[in-house]
């Protein structure tokens, strides 16, 4: 299978925060990989901005180092890298000051696609938006890319939307959620809407429940103090997991068009029921060695807050109150320091109404499992007859679609979410970016859940590093006669 790489138009991409962690780990390596793939046209330019007093050579050195560190060795070609680095420039700018903007205006061309990536703390988004206008750098066609977190509640998200809207139209604003840039997430839409096979079954009549798991093995380590102000609900559920839930639950959009898709996602968020306390389990990891390993600090130590009530784990039972999904719960869970690093969506189908093969056959439900990481792919478990002369005994086999295996080298070579999303910005395609009203609706759902446990002073339950989370999370499903899928890589 030959992958098609369609070059994008010539562009100027300005990265505010071009020397930061995200730029070095994701944005610059991603752009290099697109350059290597032939997707970046000759003449495209990347302009880094930050307060540090660097020149072009200094920024190129940082970018070169980032590529060496974060791009797979097989993809590092010194000649290509040299050419790529020539397209990089740097202008020292303080987002809150007025120096440097004239130089930037002189550099950014008016006759090519212009995009401004706000890879700085959200507190600076407003200052950047305002100065891009004041100094005549952004045009009505320019695009801005804004990073997460997009607010910490409905009020702050509204404020942020209002600040951006005072300088940019919604069609110019690209709110990044890198989960939406994952190949499998887009494949979820292809599987649902390009095949007749699943859609008739995709409702409460045939789907027993849905599980969405995002498990990490790492703790909050070096960014504990920052994380402690957020917690798993704000950091993962309100944004990433909500987006995944929407893609599973939404109605078919009339077209694969940014607003058509986002309209349908918005309807799902609005249909979410408030979540009562008994359908929420929050946890905090304990300070225990993992599997006989060395001692590990507890969450409260990592967070530098002995009295912290912030959750490093959360599980929720969520209900989508509409005709398609009423009665089919969506169980969401995410946490730090769990058994394995994995992100998975599992659509668990109902059992047939009557087993003609009798009981005791080791019956398992059909499950469509969509893996986001590691090894992006899909797997449908089906029951077949156990081979051999042992009579009609049933066994479960996977119909496996690992992209790496099914699509050959191109399947293994899936572009990283960031590089795909940046190319979408240049193409002007907002389908995989969150619209302002979507973000606000998600906060409107999350806010009362968070303020509920805050006002009750709920304490998160302890769980051991390397486990599947707190015991109570198991009960969340057990009491419904269900069980979580195993967390494994
Ligand atoms: P970071 O490592 O702290 O980098 C911040 C960047 O902003 C640096 O280049 C810094 O350079 C620049 N900067 C700071 N103050 C500035 C100012 N007043 N004017 C102009 N530039 C300024 O942060 P990061 O981790 O890259 O995160 C950037 C954004 O991405 C944040 O919104 C974050 O929430 C989001 N994000 C990051 C990650 C990640 O993995 N890192 C993941 C998801 C989202 P100078 O100090 O030289 O100015």
């Amino acid at each position: 299978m030959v992958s098609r790489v369609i070059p994008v138009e010539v562009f100027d991409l300005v990265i505010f925060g071009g020397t930061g962690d995200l730029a070095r780990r994701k944005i610059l390596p991603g752009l290099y990989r697109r350059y290597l793939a032939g997707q970046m046209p000759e003449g495209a330019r990347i302009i880094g901005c930050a307060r540090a007093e660097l020149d072009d050579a200094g920024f190129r050195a940082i970018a070169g180092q980032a590529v060496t560190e974060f791009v797979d060795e097989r993809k590092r070609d010194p000649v290509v890298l040299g050419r790529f680095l020539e397209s990089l420039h740097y202008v020292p700018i303080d987002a809150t000051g007025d120096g440097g903007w004239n130089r930037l205006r002189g550099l950014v061309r008016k006759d090519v696609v212009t995009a401004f990536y706000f890879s700085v703390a959200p507190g600076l988004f407003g200052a950047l938006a305002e100065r891009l206008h004041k100094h005549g750098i952004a045009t009505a066609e320019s695009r801005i890319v804004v990073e997460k977190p997009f607010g910490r509640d409905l009020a702050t998200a509204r404020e942020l939307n209002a600040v951006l809207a005072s300088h940019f139209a919604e069609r110019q604003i690209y709110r990044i959620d890198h989960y939406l840039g994952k190949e499998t997430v887009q494949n979820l839409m292809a599987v649902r809407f390009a095949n007749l096979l699943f859609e008739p079954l995709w409702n409460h009549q045939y789907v027993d429940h849905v599980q969405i798991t995002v498990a990490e093995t790492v703790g909050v380590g070096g960014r504990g103090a920052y994380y402690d102000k957020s917690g798993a609900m704000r950091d993962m559920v309100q944004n990433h997991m909500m987006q995944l839930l929407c893609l599973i639950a939404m109605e078919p959009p009339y077209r694969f068009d940014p607003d058509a898709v986002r309209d349908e996602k918005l309807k799902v968020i609005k249909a979410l029921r408030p979540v009562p306390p008994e359908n929420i389990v929050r946890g905090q990891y304990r300070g225990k060695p993992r599997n006989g390993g060395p001692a590990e600090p507890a969450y409260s130590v990592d967070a530098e807050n002995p009295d912290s009530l912030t959750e490093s784990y959360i599980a929720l039972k969520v209900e989508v109150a509409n005709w398609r999904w009423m009665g089919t719960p969506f169980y969401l869970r995410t946490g730090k320091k769990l058994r394995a690093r994995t992100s998975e969506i599992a659509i668990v189908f109902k059992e047939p109404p009557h087993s003609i093969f009798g009981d005791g056959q080791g019956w398992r439900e059909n499950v469509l499992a969509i893996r986001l990481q590691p090894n992006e792919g899909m797997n449908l478990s089906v029951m077949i007859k156990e081979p051999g002369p042992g009579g009609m005994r049933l066994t479960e086999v996977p119909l496996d679609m690992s992209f790496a295996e099914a699509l050959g080298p191109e399947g293994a070579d899936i572009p990283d979410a960031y590089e795909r999303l940046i190319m979408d910005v240049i193409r002007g395609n907002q389908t995989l970016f969150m619209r302002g009203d979507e973000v606000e609706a998600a906060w409107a759902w999350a806010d009362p859940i968070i303020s509920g446990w805050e006002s009750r002073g709920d304490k998160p339950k302890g769980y051991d590093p390397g486990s599947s989370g707190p015991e109570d999370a198991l009960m969340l499903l057990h009491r419904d006669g269900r069980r979580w899928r195993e967390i494994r890589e």
Side-chain angles (χ1 to χ4, degrees):
M1 183 169 301
V2 179
S3 69
R4 282 182 306 152
V5 174
I6 304 167
V8 293
E9 279 181 66
V10 177
F11 63 84
D12 281 343
L13 171 66
V14 178
I15 310 171
F16 292 105
T19 57
D21 179 64
L22 184 68
R24 284 186 295 105
R25 280 194 310 112
K26 294 289 181 186
I27 305 173
L28 293 166
L31 286 164
Y32 164 76
R33 280 191 291 263
R34 290 297 90 208
Y35 185 88
L36 180 71
Q39 200 162 27
M40 255 176 73
E42 286 303 321
R45 286 197 308 210
I46 298 155
I47 303 163
C49 292
R51 288 168 306 178
E53 288 292 337
L54 298 171
D55 55 10
D56 288 354
F59 183 51
R60 287 172 188 175
I62 289 175
Q65 216 170 18
V67 170
T68 310
E69 197 173 341
F70 297 110
V71 171
D72 191 290
E73 199 180 347
R74 286 165 302 163
K75 297 221 148 189
R76 293 199 303 254
D77 178 328
V79 178
V80 177
L81 177 59
R83 283 208 307 270
F84 168 74
L85 293 178
E86 280 171 27
S87 67
L88 267 57
H89 302 270
Y90 184 84
V91 181
I93 280 185
D94 183 339
T96 58
D98 280 315
W101 295 96
N102 285 344
R103 234 192 98 198
L104 185 62
R105 189 178 51 233
L107 210 53
V108 175
R109 294 166 289 182
K110 292 277 189 272
D111 56 347
V112 301
V113 172
T114 50
F116 301 91
Y117 198 130
F118 295 2
S119 183
V120 293
L124 296 172
F125 292 173
L128 287 176
E130 191 194 324
R131 282 168 177 76
L132 282 172
H133 261 271
K134 184 169 136 190
H135 295 283
I137 299 169
T139 68
E141 296 311 315
S142 298
R143 291 144 206 178
I144 57 168
V145 184
V146 292
E147 262 303 329
K148 78 170 224 185
F150 201 89
R152 68 182 316 277
D153 53 23
L154 178 58
T156 48
R158 272 193 180 141
E159 245 170 65
L160 203 45
N161 273 335
V163 169
L164 298 180
S166 59
H167 302 290
F168 293 93
E170 183 61 37
R171 64 176 170 74
Q172 298 178 276
I173 304 172
Y174 291 71
R175 295 175 194 78
I176 268 204
D177 184 320
H178 69 275
Y179 267 63
L180 291 181
K182 288 183 182 285
E183 184 77 11
T184 324
V185 172
Q186 290 160 72
N187 240 312
L188 179 57
M189 284 192 273
V191 164
R192 275 196 68 189
F193 303 130
N195 299 286
L196 194 58
L197 195 62
F198 293 109
E199 202 49 28
L201 306 179
W202 211 262
N203 57 54
H204 68 99
Q205 273 179 297
Y206 297 101
V207 177
D208 180 71
H209 70 280
V210 176
Q211 296 186 17
I212 306 178
T213 301
V214 177
E216 295 177 88
T217 49
V218 294
V220 298
R223 60 184 205 113
Y226 162 81
Y227 185 91
D228 202 44
K229 294 191 198 78
S230 143
M233 181 74 180
R234 287 191 171 98
D235 193 49
M236 290 299 306
V237 178
Q238 180 275 342
N239 41 30
H240 307 313
M241 297 180 86
M242 174 66 67
Q243 289 296 320
L244 300 181
L245 185 153
C246 284
L247 294 179
I248 299 164
M250 74 183 187
E251 296 300 314
Y254 72 93
R255 221 170 55 183
F256 191 61
D257 158 282
D259 276 328
V261 170
R262 298 186 300 176
D263 285 346
E264 295 305 337
K265 288 194 319 193
L266 180 63
K267 286 186 208 161
V268 173
I269 304 174
K270 289 189 167 172
L272 294 179
R273 282 229 165 123
V275 184
E278 63 272 20
N279 288 352
I280 306 168
V281 177
R282 295 164 66 241
Q284 232 183 43
Y285 56 80
R286 299 191 182 104
K288 272 196 174 174
R290 204 183 310 208
N291 308 327
E296 295 187 32
Y299 173 83
S300 55
V301 175
D302 280 342
E304 299 164 30
N305 179 6
D307 304 319
S308 173
L309 294 181
T310 303
E311 74 284 355
S312 60
Y313 174 99
I314 189 165
L316 303 130
K317 177 180 175 181
V318 176
E319 288 171 301
V320 184
N322 62 20
W323 274 36
R324 186 185 281 265
W325 293 116
M326 209 50 231
T328 295
F330 286 66
Y331 298 99
L332 274 45
R333 67 177 160 166
T334 180
K336 307 274 184 195
K337 285 215 184 185
L338 296 178
R339 174 170 295 155
R341 175 172 175 264
T342 178
S343 298
E344 183 197 77
I345 301 167
I347 319 289
V348 182
F349 290 93
K350 290 187 176 173
E351 294 184 8
H354 165 65
S355 169
I356 63 167
F357 302 110
D359 295 332
Q361 289 274 15
W363 175 258
R364 299 282 298 271
E365 320 90 343
N366 298 125
V367 179
L368 176 64
I370 301 147
R371 281 190 311 275
L372 308 183
Q373 65 185 21
N375 311 324
E376 291 194 53
M378 297 194 189
N379 174 316
L380 178 67
S381 62
V382 291
M383 301 302 291
I384 62 159
K385 178 192 166 296
E386 206 173 81
M392 187 47 111
R393 293 195 56 79
L394 301 180
T395 188
E396 183 191 343
V397 291
L399 293 179
D400 205 340
M401 196 180 91
S402 148
F403 293 155
E405 282 169 28
L407 305 179
E410 280 84 19
D413 199 16
I414 300 169
D416 176 79
Y418 275 94
E419 52 190 277
R420 173 191 310 277
L421 291 173
I422 294 171
M423 290 301 114
D424 276 359
V425 174
I426 305 299
R427 284 191 206 99
N429 186 343
Q430 288 184 304
T431 310
L432 300 175
F433 296 83
M434 294 178 295
R435 209 167 54 191
D437 52 359
E438 257 184 276
V439 178
E440 289 187 16
W443 278 122
W445 171 78
D447 267 7
I449 299 175
I450 297 171
S451 59
W453 71 59
E454 281 177 352
S455 64
R456 291 189 302 271
D458 289 356
K459 288 194 173 63
K461 314 277 180 200
Y463 64 93
D464 290 345
S467 71
S468 306
E471 289 282 310
D472 289 25
L474 300 180
M475 290 312 298
L476 192 66
L477 269 75
H478 277 187
R479 68 172 199 223
D480 293 345
R482 300 177 173 117
R483 63 194 142 83
W484 288 110
R485 285 165 60 79
E486 201 183 323
I487 295 181
R488 59 169 184 217
E489 289 207 349

